[in-house]
């Protein structure tokens, strides 16, 4: 398969998208509206970073599956595993007063 | 291209009619819980995140998605899902910038933000652009409805011996009339609950369709193996073909579309404002984007993927030449049984109508709030009682809704010649969102961004966009990333990059040259004939803008005219608009959210994290603005007198429907009891004997 159809869009999406995403975090932290000294906002930092990795993994797994590098069935399995991790960590943060 | 008519059976039509009646009754039932529309959308702030998350589904999924993503799924495969999976990049800006600002500043519409942050003239221009955006969106909605319904209708029908052909525009006009009736009976006040139900039904119907499709094909393995590799990839080819390429769609959808949807979709913003607090709004946005959108991507696109697989294995059943915008209806009809097909079509059309209704009402609200009231205020014709004014405004709102509906039908003409709804929508987003997106975005995140800069973005930016649309091969081509230009619809998607860049460029250059503008205006103010100078400047500005707008003369003259606009507009605004950076940005930029919270509360926020407490209500006569808890309960909540409190029915499944916001009054000694007035009880829809949950807000 052509690189311009497989990994170039992926690199562009998460390269440029990543720059925008990190800029958003930095700008909101610098402006004071995203205040990591507040426990509730620390939990949001986890959610934000998880969300980025979640989508990056989703696209990477789907591309691998399309190229027959992995089984298509492993895509939902890995993603479900990530959902479980997300729920567990979010609940732990909530128990420690992060929510 | 193969097109279809008269798809479906009588059973399907019966199911559709029953579905519409049930949805209207459901909406009307929950509508009785609301006192008025204004309270429901702007003052209520009562709902839990999960309720808002599901109600957003119908707004996002319902609006044209089934038709347009199935079309692209049929043409290009699983990469049709990419627009649903690229909304996370701007979420930090939304969660910690725009969302708290719209909630804490209590703005009722986006143009109102422009007035508070910049000036009334910025509000005026923002209103024009926003109305164009909303009416265009309504046009896209009508176009999709027409394309969804046409395959189910006969080619022509006979009345009194006359044969009348059914055309797309004819069907759209009939749909527009039915939509008007639907608004009247469905009721805007019940829209959140109607959308909540429809959100579930849409997801269910879409997943059901996928299940039927996979079963029809003989299992997932067969389906997957039928698709060629390039159809399985989640992202489109980087820069080809012209009508569906990754980089164009990235700029059109992930950038302009995502910011447009999150920052300037009035209907969506109303939903977030209905959340009980900012944190619940963040949860609603996060869950929606993280988990609901990936499911929605499958729900809306799978009919196209299934259609493609069937066309590979049985081209006699689904021909590869089927019109892409009809593939959803064609596939649904093949794989679903009679009745079930009617249910799927009913879910689709009802959700589309609900979306169009929401847009029409939101547009009418913008008209009343940002056109009618300011004009009335300007001409000072307000010598009437509140009741009289309300009645008059209601009448004007009804006329506005009718006018907006008619303009929405007219807007279809601008989009109906695009090959698919997807491309029409892409072109629309690329063209109309950049000026407002840049205005809102820089307004929120850049304190130095001035009224002169925002107005130049709206006027000069638009002038540059017009030039780009007129000379795409010269102006947009340098940004095309190798995409081939289609002369019929040049750069439908990548024009978003050019448009965003020129608007941002205009905004940044004017902001950075603010001191120069002030110096020039200060010099002009020192002259005796300053008014005459400014009048000449305004006249020249209008004249040079007209040169661009009406395509007078050659490109070089138009470029020169645009440069003149970019120089003269900021000077004119600097002269006429009174602006105090500190005053105008207080609580309206990301850097002043704490001031916004302070203004919202009317005092210093109390951010100590306390517990929630369970209480019974006790009705007492007294101050309507406060509620009273015991000393011990207030200590548990770490609350002080004057802090804000949210009280709701303990039953979580009610989603905050029965709740109020209030202020902590002086404490008493009766633990587990809240003293509230009969009016507060009525407003919160509380029932005696039911346990209430109270939490300190700030």
């Amino acid at each position: 398969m052509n690189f311009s159809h497989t990994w170039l869009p992926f690199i562009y999406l998460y390269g440029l998208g990543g720059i925008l995403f990190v800029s958003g975090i930095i700008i909101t932290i610098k402006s004071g509206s995203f205040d990591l000294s507040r426990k509730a906002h620390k939990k949001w930092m986890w959610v934000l970073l998880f969300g980025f990795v979640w989508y990056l993994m989703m696209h990477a797994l789907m591309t691998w599956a399309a190229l027959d590098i992995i089984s298509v069935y492993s895509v939902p399995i890995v993603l479900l595993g990530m959902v479980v991790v997300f729920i567990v960590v979010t609940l732990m943060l909530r128990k420690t007063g992060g929510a | 291209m193969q097109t279809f008519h008269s798809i479906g059976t009588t059973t399907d039509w019966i199911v559709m009619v029953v579905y519409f009646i049930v949805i209207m009754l459901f909406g009307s039932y929950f509508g009785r819980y609301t006192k008025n529309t204004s309270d429901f959308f702007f003052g209520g702030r009562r709902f839990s995140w999960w309720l808002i998350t599901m109600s957003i589904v119908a707004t996002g999924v319902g609006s044209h998605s089934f038709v347009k993503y199935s079309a692209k799924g049929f043409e290009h495969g699983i990469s049709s899902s990419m627009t649903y999976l690229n909304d996370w990049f701007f979420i930090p800006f939304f969660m910690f910038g725009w969302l708290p600002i719209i909630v804490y500043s209590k703005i009722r519409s986006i143009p109102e933000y422009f007035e508070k942050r910049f000036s009334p003239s910025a509000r005026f221009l923002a209103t024009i652009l926003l109305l164009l955006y909303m009416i265009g969106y309504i046009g896209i909605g009508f176009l999709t409805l027409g394309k969804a319904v046409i395959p189910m209708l006969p080619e022509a029908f006979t009345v009194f011996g006359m044969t009348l052909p059914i055309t797309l525009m004819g069907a759209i006009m009939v749909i527009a009339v039915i939509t008007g009736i639907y608004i009247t009976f469905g009721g805007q006040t019940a829209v959140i609950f109607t959308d909540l139900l429809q959100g579930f039904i849409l997801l269910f119907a879409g997943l059901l369709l996928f299940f039927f499709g996979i079963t029809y094909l003989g299992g997932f393995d067969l389906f997957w193996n039928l698709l060629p590799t390039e159809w399985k990839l989640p992202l489109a080819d980087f820069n080809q073909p012209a009508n569906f390429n990754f980089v164009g769609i990235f700029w059109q959808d992930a950038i302009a579309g995502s910011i447009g949807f999150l920052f300037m979709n009035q209907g969506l913003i109303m939903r977030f404002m209905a959340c009980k607090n900012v944190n619940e709004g963040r949860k609603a946005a996060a869950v929606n984007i993280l988990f609901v959108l990936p499911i929605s991507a499958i729900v809306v696109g799978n009919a196209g993927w299934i259609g493609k697989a069937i066309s590979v294995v049985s081209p006699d059943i689904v021909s590869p030449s089927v019109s892409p915008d009809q593939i959803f209806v064609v596939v649904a009809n093949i794989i679903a049984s009679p009745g079930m097909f009617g249910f799927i079509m009913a879910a689709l059309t009802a959700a589309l109508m609900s979306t169009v209704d929401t847009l029409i009402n939101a547009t009418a609200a913008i008209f009343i709030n940002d056109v009618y009231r300011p004009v009335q205020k300007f001409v000072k014709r307000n010598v009437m009682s509140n009741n009289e004014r309300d009645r008059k405004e209601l009448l004007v709102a009804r006329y506005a809704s009718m006018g907006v509906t008619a303009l929405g039908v007219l807007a279809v003409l601008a989009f109906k010649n695009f090959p698919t709804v997807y491309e029409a929508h892409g072109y629309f987003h690329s063209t109309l969102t950049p000026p407002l997106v840049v205005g809102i975005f820089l307004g929120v995140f850049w304190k130095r961004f001035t009224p002169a800069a925002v107005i130049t973005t709206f006027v000069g930016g638009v002038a540059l966009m017009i030039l780009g649309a007129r000379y795409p091969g010269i102006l947009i081509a340098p940004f095309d990333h190798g995409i081939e230009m289609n002369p019929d619809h040049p750069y439908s998607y990548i024009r978003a990059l050019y448009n965003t860049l020129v608007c941002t460029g205009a905004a940044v250059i004017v902001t950075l040259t603010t001191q120069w503008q002030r110096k020039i205006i200060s010099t002009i103010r020192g002259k005796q004939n300053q008014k005459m100078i400014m009048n000449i400047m305004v006249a020249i500005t209008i004249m040079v803008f007209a040169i661009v707008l009406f395509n007078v003369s050659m490109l070089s003259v138009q470029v020169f005219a645009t440069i003149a606009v970019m120089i003269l507009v900021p000077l004119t605004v600097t002269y006429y608009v009174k602006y105090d950076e500190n005053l105008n940005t207080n609580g309206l930029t990301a850097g002043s959210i704490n001031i916004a919270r302070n203004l919202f509360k009317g005092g210093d926020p109390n951010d100590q994290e306390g517990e929630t407490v369970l209480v019974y209500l006790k009705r007492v006569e007294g101050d309507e603005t406060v509620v009273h808890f015991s000393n011990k309960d207030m200590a548990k909540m770490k609350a002080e007198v004057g802090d804000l409190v949210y009280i709701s029915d303990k039953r979580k499944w009610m989603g905050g429907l029965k709740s109020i916001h209030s202020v902590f009054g002086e404490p008493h000694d009766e633990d587990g009891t809240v003293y509230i007035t009969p009016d507060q009880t009525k407003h919160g829809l509380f029932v005696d004997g039911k346990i209430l949950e109270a939490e300190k807000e700030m």
Side-chain angles (χ1 to χ4, degrees), chain B residues 469-530:
Chain B
R470 205 167 280 151
Y471 303 99
I474 298 170
L475 296 171
I476 303 182
F479 305 97
D480 69 8
H481 288 69
I483 298 167
E484 196 182 333
M485 189 176 91
N486 171 0
D488 294 333
H489 304 286
Y491 300 127
S492 290
Y493 311 115
I494 199 70
R495 69 173 57 232
L497 171 58
Y498 166 82
N499 290 345
T500 307
L501 281 180
V502 294
C503 288
T504 309
V508 171
I509 290 168
V510 174
T511 304
L512 294 179
T513 53
T514 299
Q515 290 307 324
W516 295 354
Q517 294 146 29
R518 286 181 185 154
K519 270 185 193 165
I520 293 168
I521 290 303
S522 168
T523 310
I524 292 173
R525 283 208 171 106
K527 308 248 180 219
Q528 278 191 335
N529 56 348
Q530 54 170 295

Coordinates of all heavy atoms in Angstrom, one line a residue, chain B residues 469-530:
Chain B
A469 N -12.1 32.5 -3.4 CA -13.1 31.7 -4.1 C -13.1 32.0 -5.6 O -13.4 31.2 -6.4 CB -14.5 32.0 -3.5
R470 N -12.8 33.3 -5.9 CA -12.8 33.7 -7.3 C -11.6 33.3 -8.1 O -11.7 33.0 -9.3 CB -13.0 35.3 -7.3 CG -13.6 35.8 -8.5 CD -13.9 37.3 -8.3 NE -15.2 37.5 -7.5 CZ -15.4 38.5 -6.7 NH1 -14.5 39.4 -6.6 NH2 -16.6 38.6 -6.1
Y471 N -10.5 33.3 -7.4 CA -9.2 32.9 -8.1 C -8.5 31.7 -7.3 O -7.4 31.9 -6.8 CB -8.2 34.1 -8.2 CG -8.8 35.3 -8.9 CD1 -9.4 36.4 -8.2 CD2 -8.9 35.4 -10.3 CE1 -9.9 37.5 -8.8 CE2 -9.4 36.4 -10.9 CZ -10.0 37.5 -10.2 OH -10.5 38.6 -10.8
P472 N -9.2 30.6 -7.2 CA -8.6 29.5 -6.4 C -7.3 29.0 -7.0 O -6.4 28.6 -6.2 CB -9.7 28.4 -6.5 CG -10.5 28.7 -7.7 CD -10.5 30.2 -7.9
G473 N -7.2 29.0 -8.3 CA -5.9 28.5 -8.9 C -4.7 29.3 -8.6 O -3.6 28.8 -8.6
I474 N -4.9 30.6 -8.2 CA -3.8 31.5 -7.9 C -3.6 31.5 -6.4 O -2.5 31.4 -5.9 CB -4.1 32.9 -8.5 CG1 -4.2 32.8 -10.0 CG2 -3.0 33.8 -8.0 CD1 -4.7 34.1 -10.6
L475 N -4.7 31.7 -5.7 CA -4.6 32.0 -4.2 C -4.7 30.8 -3.3 O -4.0 30.7 -2.3 CB -5.7 33.0 -3.8 CG -5.6 34.4 -4.5 CD1 -6.8 35.3 -4.2 CD2 -4.3 35.1 -4.0
I476 N -5.5 29.8 -3.7 CA -5.7 28.6 -2.8 C -4.6 27.6 -3.2 O -4.1 26.8 -2.3 CB -7.1 28.1 -2.8 CG1 -8.1 29.1 -2.4 CG2 -7.2 26.9 -1.9 CD1 -9.5 28.7 -2.4
A477 N -4.3 27.5 -4.5 CA -3.3 26.5 -4.9 C -2.0 26.4 -4.1 O -1.6 25.3 -3.8 CB -3.0 26.8 -6.4
P478 N -1.4 27.5 -3.7 CA -0.2 27.3 -2.9 C -0.4 26.5 -1.6 O 0.6 26.1 -1.0 CB 0.2 28.8 -2.5 CG -0.4 29.6 -3.6 CD -1.7 28.9 -3.9
F479 N -1.6 26.4 -1.1 CA -1.9 25.7 0.1 C -2.5 24.3 -0.1 O -3.0 23.6 0.8 CB -2.9 26.5 1.0 CG -2.4 27.9 1.3 CD1 -2.9 28.9 0.5 CD2 -1.5 28.1 2.3 CE1 -2.4 30.2 0.7 CE2 -1.1 29.4 2.5 CZ -1.5 30.5 1.7
D480 N -2.6 23.9 -1.4 CA -3.4 22.7 -1.7 C -2.8 21.3 -1.4 O -3.4 20.3 -1.5 CB -3.9 22.7 -3.2 CG -2.7 22.5 -4.2 OD1 -1.6 22.2 -3.7 OD2 -3.0 22.7 -5.4
H481 N -1.5 21.3 -0.9 CA -0.9 20.0 -0.5 C -0.9 19.0 -1.6 O -1.0 17.8 -1.4 CB -1.6 19.4 0.7 CG -1.3 20.1 2.0 ND1 -1.8 21.4 2.3 CD2 -0.7 19.7 3.1 CE1 -1.5 21.7 3.5 NE2 -0.7 20.8 4.0
G482 N -0.9 19.5 -2.9 CA -0.9 18.5 -4.0 C -2.3 18.0 -4.4 O -2.4 17.2 -5.3
I483 N -3.3 18.6 -3.9 CA -4.7 18.2 -4.3 C -5.0 18.7 -5.6 O -4.7 19.9 -5.9 CB -5.8 18.7 -3.3 CG1 -5.5 18.1 -1.9 CG2 -7.2 18.3 -3.7 CD1 -6.3 18.8 -0.8
E484 N -5.6 17.9 -6.5 CA -5.9 18.4 -7.8 C -7.1 19.3 -7.8 O -8.1 19.0 -7.0 CB -6.2 17.2 -8.7 CG -6.2 17.5 -10.2 CD -6.6 16.2 -11.0 OE1 -6.3 15.1 -10.5 OE2 -7.1 16.4 -12.1
M485 N -7.1 20.4 -8.5 CA -8.3 21.3 -8.5 C -9.4 20.8 -9.4 O -9.1 20.6 -10.6 CB -7.9 22.7 -8.9 CG -9.0 23.7 -8.6 SD -8.5 25.4 -8.9 CE -8.9 25.6 -10.6
N486 N -10.6 20.6 -8.8 CA -11.7 20.3 -9.7 C -12.4 21.6 -10.1 O -12.9 22.3 -9.3 CB -12.7 19.4 -8.8 CG -14.0 19.2 -9.5 OD1 -14.2 19.6 -10.6 ND2 -14.9 18.5 -8.8
P487 N -12.4 21.9 -11.4 CA -12.9 23.2 -11.9 C -14.3 23.5 -11.5 O -14.7 24.6 -11.3 CB -12.7 23.2 -13.4 CG -12.0 21.9 -13.7 CD -11.9 21.0 -12.5
D488 N -15.1 22.4 -11.4 CA -16.6 22.6 -11.1 C -16.7 23.0 -9.6 O -17.6 23.8 -9.3 CB -17.3 21.3 -11.3 CG -17.4 20.9 -12.8 OD1 -17.3 21.9 -13.6 OD2 -17.5 19.8 -13.2
H489 N -16.0 22.3 -8.7 CA -16.1 22.7 -7.3 C -14.6 22.8 -6.8 O -14.1 21.9 -6.1 CB -16.8 21.6 -6.5 CG -18.2 21.3 -7.1 ND1 -19.2 22.2 -6.9 CD2 -18.7 20.3 -7.8 CE1 -20.3 21.8 -7.5 NE2 -20.0 20.6 -8.0
P490 N -13.9 23.9 -7.0 CA -12.5 23.9 -6.7 C -12.2 23.9 -5.2 O -12.8 24.7 -4.5 CB -12.1 25.3 -7.3 CG -13.3 26.0 -7.6 CD -14.4 25.1 -7.7
Y491 N -11.4 23.0 -4.8 CA -10.9 22.9 -3.4 C -12.0 23.0 -2.4 O -12.0 23.9 -1.5 CB -9.8 24.0 -3.2 CG -8.6 24.0 -4.1 CD1 -8.2 25.1 -4.8 CD2 -7.9 22.8 -4.2 CE1 -7.1 25.1 -5.7 CE2 -6.8 22.8 -5.1 CZ -6.4 23.9 -5.8 OH -5.3 23.8 -6.6
S492 N -13.0 22.1 -2.5 CA -14.1 22.2 -1.6 C -13.7 22.1 -0.1 O -14.3 22.8 0.7 CB -15.0 21.0 -1.8 OG -15.7 21.1 -3.0
Y493 N -12.6 21.4 0.2 CA -12.2 21.2 1.6 C -11.0 22.1 2.0 O -11.0 22.8 3.0 CB -11.8 19.7 1.9 CG -12.9 18.8 1.4 CD1 -12.6 17.9 0.4 CD2 -14.2 18.8 1.9 CE1 -13.6 17.0 -0.1 CE2 -15.1 17.9 1.5 CZ -14.8 17.0 0.5 OH -15.8 16.1 0.1
I494 N -9.9 22.0 1.1 CA -8.7 22.7 1.5 C -8.8 24.2 1.5 O -8.0 24.9 2.1 CB -7.5 22.2 0.6 CG1 -6.1 22.5 1.3 CG2 -7.5 22.8 -0.7 CD1 -5.8 21.6 2.5
R495 N -9.9 24.7 1.0 CA -10.1 26.1 1.0 C -10.2 26.6 2.5 O -10.0 27.7 2.8 CB -11.3 26.6 0.2 CG -12.6 26.1 0.8 CD -13.8 26.8 0.0 NE -13.7 26.4 -1.4 CZ -13.8 27.4 -2.4 NH1 -14.0 28.6 -2.0 NH2 -13.8 27.1 -3.6
A496 N -10.6 25.6 3.4 CA -10.7 26.0 4.8 C -9.3 26.4 5.3 O -9.2 27.3 6.2 CB -11.2 24.7 5.6
L497 N -8.2 25.8 4.9 CA -6.9 26.2 5.3 C -6.6 27.6 4.8 O -6.2 28.5 5.6 CB -5.8 25.2 4.7 CG -4.4 25.6 4.9 CD1 -4.0 25.8 6.4 CD2 -3.4 24.6 4.3
Y498 N -6.8 27.9 3.6 CA -6.6 29.3 3.0 C -7.5 30.3 3.8 O -7.0 31.3 4.3 CB -6.9 29.3 1.5 CG -7.1 30.7 1.0 CD1 -5.9 31.4 0.6 CD2 -8.3 31.3 0.8 CE1 -6.0 32.7 0.1 CE2 -8.4 32.6 0.4 CZ -7.3 33.3 0.0 OH -7.4 34.6 -0.5
N499 N -8.8 30.0 4.0 CA -9.7 30.9 4.6 C -9.3 31.2 6.1 O -9.3 32.3 6.6 CB -11.1 30.4 4.6 CG -11.7 30.4 3.1 OD1 -11.1 31.1 2.3 ND2 -12.8 29.7 2.9
T500 N -8.9 30.1 6.8 CA -8.5 30.2 8.2 C -7.2 31.0 8.3 O -7.1 31.9 9.1 CB -8.3 28.8 8.8 OG1 -9.5 28.1 8.6 CG2 -8.0 28.9 10.3
L501 N -6.3 30.8 7.4 CA -5.0 31.5 7.4 C -5.2 33.0 7.1 O -4.6 33.8 7.8 CB -4.0 30.9 6.4 CG -3.3 29.6 6.8 CD1 -2.4 29.2 5.7 CD2 -2.5 29.9 8.1
V502 N -6.0 33.3 6.1 CA -6.2 34.8 5.8 C -6.9 35.5 6.9 O -6.6 36.6 7.2 CB -6.8 35.0 4.4 CG1 -6.0 34.5 3.3 CG2 -8.2 34.4 4.3
C503 N -7.9 34.8 7.5 CA -8.6 35.5 8.6 C -7.7 35.6 9.8 O -7.7 36.7 10.5 CB -9.8 34.6 9.0 SG -11.2 34.7 7.8
T504 N -6.9 34.6 10.1 CA -6.0 34.7 11.2 C -4.9 35.7 10.9 O -4.5 36.5 11.8 CB -5.3 33.3 11.5 OG1 -6.3 32.3 11.6 CG2 -4.4 33.3 12.7
G505 N -4.4 35.8 9.7 CA -3.4 36.8 9.3 C -3.9 38.2 9.5 O -3.3 39.0 10.1
A506 N -5.2 38.4 9.0 CA -5.8 39.7 9.2 C -5.9 40.1 10.7 O -5.5 41.2 11.1 CB -7.2 39.8 8.5
A507 N -6.3 39.1 11.5 CA -6.5 39.4 12.9 C -5.2 39.7 13.6 O -5.1 40.6 14.4 CB -7.1 38.1 13.6
V508 N -4.2 38.9 13.3 CA -2.9 39.0 14.0 C -2.2 40.4 13.6 O -1.7 41.1 14.4 CB -2.0 37.8 13.7 CG1 -0.5 38.1 14.2 CG2 -2.5 36.6 14.3
I509 N -2.2 40.6 12.3 CA -1.5 41.8 11.8 C -2.2 43.1 12.4 O -1.5 44.0 12.9 CB -1.5 41.9 10.2 CG1 -0.6 40.8 9.7 CG2 -1.1 43.3 9.7 CD1 -0.7 40.6 8.2
V510 N -3.5 43.1 12.4 CA -4.2 44.3 12.9 C -3.9 44.4 14.4 O -3.7 45.6 14.9 CB -5.7 44.3 12.6 CG1 -6.4 45.4 13.2 CG2 -5.9 44.3 11.1
T511 N -4.0 43.3 15.1 CA -3.7 43.4 16.6 C -2.3 43.9 16.9 O -2.1 44.7 17.8 CB -3.9 42.0 17.2 OG1 -5.2 41.5 16.9 CG2 -3.8 42.1 18.7
L512 N -1.3 43.4 16.1 CA 0.1 43.8 16.4 C 0.4 45.2 16.0 O 1.3 45.8 16.4 CB 1.0 42.8 15.7 CG 1.0 41.4 16.2 CD1 2.0 40.5 15.4 CD2 1.3 41.3 17.7
T513 N -0.5 45.8 15.2 CA -0.2 47.2 14.8 C -1.2 48.2 15.5 O -1.4 49.3 15.0 CB -0.4 47.3 13.2 OG1 -1.7 46.8 12.8 CG2 0.7 46.6 12.5
T514 N -1.8 47.7 16.6 CA -2.7 48.5 17.3 C -2.2 49.9 17.7 O -2.8 51.0 17.5 CB -3.2 47.8 18.6 OG1 -3.8 46.6 18.2 CG2 -4.2 48.6 19.4
Q515 N -0.9 49.9 18.1 CA -0.3 51.2 18.5 C -0.2 52.2 17.4 O -0.5 53.4 17.5 CB 1.1 51.0 19.1 CG 1.1 50.3 20.5 CD 0.2 51.0 21.5 OE1 0.0 52.2 21.5 NE2 -0.5 50.2 22.3
W516 N 0.1 51.7 16.2 CA 0.2 52.6 15.0 C -1.2 53.1 14.7 O -1.3 54.3 14.4 CB 0.7 51.8 13.8 CG 2.1 51.3 13.9 CD1 3.0 51.6 14.9 CD2 2.8 50.4 13.0 NE1 4.2 50.9 14.7 CE2 4.1 50.2 13.5 CE3 2.5 49.8 11.8 CZ2 5.0 49.4 12.9 CZ3 3.4 49.1 11.1 CH2 4.7 48.9 11.7
Q517 N -2.2 52.3 14.8 CA -3.6 52.8 14.5 C -4.0 53.9 15.4 O -4.5 54.9 15.0 CB -4.6 51.6 14.6 CG -4.4 50.5 13.5 CD -4.8 49.1 14.1 OE1 -5.6 49.0 15.0 NE2 -4.2 48.1 13.6
R518 N -3.6 53.6 16.7 CA -4.0 54.6 17.7 C -3.3 56.0 17.5 O -3.8 57.1 17.6 CB -3.7 54.1 19.1 CG -4.7 53.1 19.6 CD -4.4 52.5 20.9 NE -5.4 51.5 21.2 CZ -5.2 50.5 22.0 NH1 -4.1 50.4 22.8 NH2 -6.1 49.6 22.2
K519 N -2.0 55.9 17.0 CA -1.2 57.1 16.8 C -1.9 57.9 15.6 O -2.0 59.1 15.7 CB 0.2 56.7 16.4 CG 1.1 56.7 17.6 CD 2.6 56.4 17.2 CE 3.4 56.1 18.4 NZ 4.7 55.5 18.0
I520 N -2.2 57.1 14.5 CA -2.8 57.8 13.4 C -4.1 58.4 13.7 O -4.4 59.6 13.4 CB -3.0 56.8 12.2 CG1 -1.6 56.3 11.7 CG2 -3.8 57.4 11.1 CD1 -1.7 55.1 10.8
I521 N -4.9 57.7 14.5 CA -6.3 58.2 14.9 C -6.1 59.4 15.9 O -6.8 60.4 15.8 CB -7.1 57.1 15.5 CG1 -7.5 56.1 14.5 CG2 -8.4 57.7 16.3 CD1 -8.3 56.7 13.3
S522 N -5.1 59.3 16.7 CA -4.8 60.4 17.6 C -4.5 61.7 16.8 O -4.9 62.8 17.1 CB -3.7 60.0 18.5 OG -3.2 61.1 19.2
T523 N -3.7 61.5 15.7 CA -3.3 62.6 14.9 C -4.6 63.2 14.2 O -4.8 64.4 14.2 CB -2.3 62.2 13.8 OG1 -1.3 61.5 14.4 CG2 -1.8 63.4 13.0
I524 N -5.4 62.3 13.7 CA -6.7 62.8 13.0 C -7.6 63.5 14.0 O -8.2 64.5 13.7 CB -7.4 61.5 12.4 CG1 -6.6 61.0 11.2 CG2 -8.8 61.9 12.0 CD1 -7.1 59.7 10.7
R525 N -7.6 63.0 15.3 CA -8.5 63.6 16.3 C -8.0 65.1 16.6 O -8.8 65.9 17.0 CB -8.5 62.8 17.6 CG -9.4 61.6 17.5 CD -10.0 61.2 18.8 NE -11.0 60.2 18.7 CZ -10.8 58.9 18.9 NH1 -9.7 58.5 19.5 NH2 -11.8 58.0 18.7
G526 N -6.7 65.3 16.3 CA -6.2 66.6 16.6 C -6.5 67.6 15.5 O -6.3 68.8 15.7
K527 N -7.1 67.2 14.4 CA -7.4 68.0 13.3 C -8.8 68.6 13.5 O -9.7 68.0 14.0 CB -7.4 67.3 12.0 CG -6.1 66.5 11.7 CD -5.3 67.1 10.6 CE -4.0 66.3 10.4 NZ -2.9 67.1 10.0
Q528 N -9.0 69.8 13.0 CA -10.3 70.4 13.1 C -11.4 69.7 12.2 O -12.5 69.6 12.5 CB -10.2 71.9 12.7 CG -9.7 72.7 13.9 CD -9.8 74.2 13.6 OE1 -9.9 74.6 12.4 NE2 -9.9 75.0 14.6
N529 N -10.9 69.2 11.0 CA -11.9 68.6 10.1 C -11.9 67.1 10.3 O -12.0 66.3 9.3 CB -11.5 69.0 8.7 CG -10.1 68.6 8.3 OD1 -9.3 68.3 9.2 ND2 -9.7 68.6 7.1
Q530 N -11.7 66.6 11.5 CA -11.6 65.1 11.8 C -12.8 64.4 11.3 O -12.7 63.3 10.7 CB -11.3 64.9 13.3 CG -12.4 65.5 14.2 CD -12.2 65.0 15.6 OE1 -12.4 63.8 15.8 NE2 -11.9 65.8 16.5

